[in-house]
Amino acid sequence: MAYVTLSKSSLQHNYTYLKDLFGKHEINWAPVLKMLCGNTTYLDFVLNLGEEQVCDARLGNLKTIKSLKPEKETIYIKPPSKHSIKDIVKYADVSFNTEYITIKWLSEEAKQQNKTHRIIIMIELGDLREGIMGDHLIDFYQKVFDLPNIEVVGIGANLNCLNGVMPSKDKLIQLSLYEQLIEAKFGKKIVGVSGGSSVMVPLLLKGQIPKGVNHFRIGETLFFGSDLFNNSTIDGMKDDVFLLNSEIIEITEKPVVPYGRIENNPSGEKTEINEDDYGSTQKRAILDIGLLDISKVDFLFPIDKTLEFIGASSDMLVLDVSQSQKDYKIGDTISFKMTYMGALRVMNSKYIQKKLID
């Protein structure tokens, strides 16, 4: 059976790297744990790494986090839906918001639960996902400020996640200026300016984060050591926190070219034939994992770099192992590193075991 491993030592290494980096610049940060998909074994380990807040975009995961560590401060990192208001107030200490009516519902529910719910107002900086337009901010804040049981603890922004708009020093200065504008207008201190996600880390390493930006939400770089500006691994960080391991269930020499009438496969793809391949064979290994688990093979990178993907169906993955120096056999395990989206899909699969390793 296929399984994914989380390396405690590699994750601890990345956590310490980021903690030291943010501490050096006097910036707060919160690990984003949606990657763990509520897995209690993994969460229990990560929640004990430090005292930071933690973020998630799934209420079920926040509920699990609160059951494991009730004192941990939780942040819900997308605007709440109408039907989730009760659970948002119950399981999220802080939530991201962009709509007045939603905050009004949160206010009413917080009063019912005898709580003060804290919010971060998200501001649009160009990627066109969540965020109010900057020229509406003053009026928006003024209305929110009057709501009972609501405390605005920060403003924030998101970049890169929808349209790939990259952050810049100028955009972050703009965000910081919004904070100064609110404080000057209302005489209220904005405690946090949450500049963004993992895409911001390379800017911090280059000293391009303005002084006023003092908070980040970090997921991908924590788990993958990712430099999202250069599509590489940050020097000094680990990219092997997660490994996907899959067993060989068939291995044999087969023709390169399929034979018989060819039409679209269930994924809607039609195999193209290279006439130069007629008469050629290759050693093919079939693994016990498929598109149901991984979405697409582009998300996977074999540790054995000589292996090549041939294709995948819903339940099986086919590799060309002809060039490998290893004599693979039935029952052998082949391991893969994964992209962020690949690991997210694998972690969300109930068919793949999750193991914590030293």
Side-chain angles (χ1 to χ4, degrees):
M1 184 176 183
Y3 61 96
V4 64
T5 56
L6 184 148
S7 167
K8 292 194 290 185
S9 59
S10 291
L11 183 56
Q12 176 73 68
H13 176 92
N14 284 354
Y15 173 85
T16 301
Y17 179 99
L18 290 170
K19 181 179 180 179
D20 291 346
L21 175 65
F22 287 118
K24 176 183 175 183
H25 291 86
E26 298 182 337
I27 290 175
N28 295 317
W29 70 293
V32 178
L33 303 185
K34 63 182 177 181
M35 168 63 59
L36 305 182
C37 295
N39 182 277
T40 54
T41 301
Y42 289 175
L43 279 173
D44 188 60
F45 175 72
V46 177
L47 292 173
N48 286 292
L49 288 175
E51 298 305 316
E52 290 79 14
Q53 308 160 308
V54 294
C55 305
D56 210 301
R58 295 289 185 272
L59 273 170
N61 298 344
L62 290 181
K63 182 178 180 180
T64 301
I65 289 167
K66 283 295 190 183
S67 70
L68 293 171
K69 212 170 181 65
E71 72 277 14
K72 182 70 76 170
E73 187 172 74
T74 53
I75 307 176
Y76 185 72
I77 54 171
K78 66 179 180 182
S81 66
K82 180 179 181 179
H83 299 292
S84 67
I85 296 298
K86 183 176 181 178
D87 284 342
I88 292 289
V89 174
K90 187 173 183 179
Y91 299 115
D93 299 301
V94 185
S95 63
F96 286 3
N97 283 270
T98 60
E99 293 285 350
Y100 173 76
I101 185 62
T102 304
I103 303 172
K104 187 172 184 293
W105 292 331
L106 290 168
S107 168
E108 293 166 354
E109 181 58 37
K111 189 174 182 179
Q112 288 288 325
Q113 296 189 29
N114 195 29
K115 288 183 175 181
T116 296
H117 184 72
R118 288 170 284 159
I119 66 169
I120 292 174
I121 299 173
M122 298 299 284
I123 303 172
E124 182 59 65
L125 289 185
D127 198 48
L128 303 182
R129 202 179 70 171
E130 82 279 18
I132 65 172
M133 300 303 292
D135 54 359
H136 299 162
L137 179 60
I138 294 298
D139 290 342
F140 186 89
Y141 184 88
Q142 187 164 24
K143 288 196 300 182
V144 170
F145 177 67
D146 293 332
L147 291 173
N149 298 80
I150 292 292
E151 179 185 0
V152 181
V153 294
I155 59 174
N158 180 76
L159 289 164
N160 185 248
C161 288
L162 182 62
N163 287 301
V165 174
M166 300 302 283
S168 65
K169 186 175 183 179
D170 287 345
K171 285 186 178 293
L172 294 177
I173 288 174
Q174 182 182 0
L175 182 64
S176 182
L177 288 173
Y178 285 133
E179 173 222 6
Q180 295 173 37
L181 182 63
I182 291 173
E183 291 181 347
K185 175 72 175 178
F186 297 100
K188 291 283 184 180
K189 178 66 178 174
I190 297 293
V191 177
V193 179
S194 191
S197 58
S198 291
V199 73
M200 299 292 177
V201 175
L203 293 184
L204 182 59
L205 289 168
K206 294 176 182 177
Q208 296 180 6
I209 301 297
K211 187 72 174 177
V213 179
N214 60 10
H215 183 271
F216 291 99
R217 302 96 58 189
I218 307 296
E220 184 168 352
T221 299
L222 173 62
F223 291 107
F224 295 89
S226 304
D227 178 335
L228 297 177
F229 268 78
N230 299 309
N231 294 318
S232 61
T233 303
I234 292 172
D235 187 32
M237 297 195 77
K238 303 280 190 180
D239 67 351
D240 62 349
V241 172
F242 288 108
L243 288 180
L244 173 63
N245 307 274
S246 186
E247 185 178 322
I248 297 175
I249 56 176
E250 177 186 301
I251 188 164
T252 189
E253 195 82 16
K254 290 190 177 183
V256 173
V257 179
Y259 43 92
R261 176 177 170 176
I262 297 176
E263 295 294 345
N264 289 354
N265 65 18
S267 296
E269 302 164 339
K270 191 169 185 177
T271 300
E272 295 183 5
I273 304 300
N274 183 344
E275 293 186 359
D276 294 337
D277 289 334
Y278 279 110
S280 300
T281 63
Q282 60 192 175
K283 191 175 183 181
R284 293 183 169 211
I286 298 179
L287 306 185
D288 65 337
I289 195 169
L291 296 176
L292 178 62
D293 310 294
I294 63 172
S295 183
K296 57 183 181 179
V297 298
D298 294 350
F299 292 156
L300 305 184
F301 304 93
I303 298 296
D304 182 344
K305 292 181 170 51
T306 66
L307 307 183
E308 294 186 7
F309 292 105
I310 293 173
S313 62
S314 58
D315 304 306
M316 286 175 270
L317 180 65
V318 185
L319 293 173
D320 177 6
V321 299
S322 305
Q323 304 305 312
S324 179
Q325 298 298 309
K326 183 173 180 178
D327 183 22
Y328 287 106
K329 294 180 173 60
I330 293 291
D332 284 349
T333 295
I334 292 179
S335 299
F336 303 86
K337 291 181 181 179
M338 297 171 282
T339 64
Y340 174 81
M341 291 304 296
L344 195 61
R345 183 62 181 260
V346 166
M347 282 298 303
N348 196 45
S349 174
K350 66 181 180 180
Y351 303 109
I352 297 178
Q353 293 182 341
K354 283 80 180 177
K355 300 181 180 181
L356 192 63
I357 61 173
D358 290 325

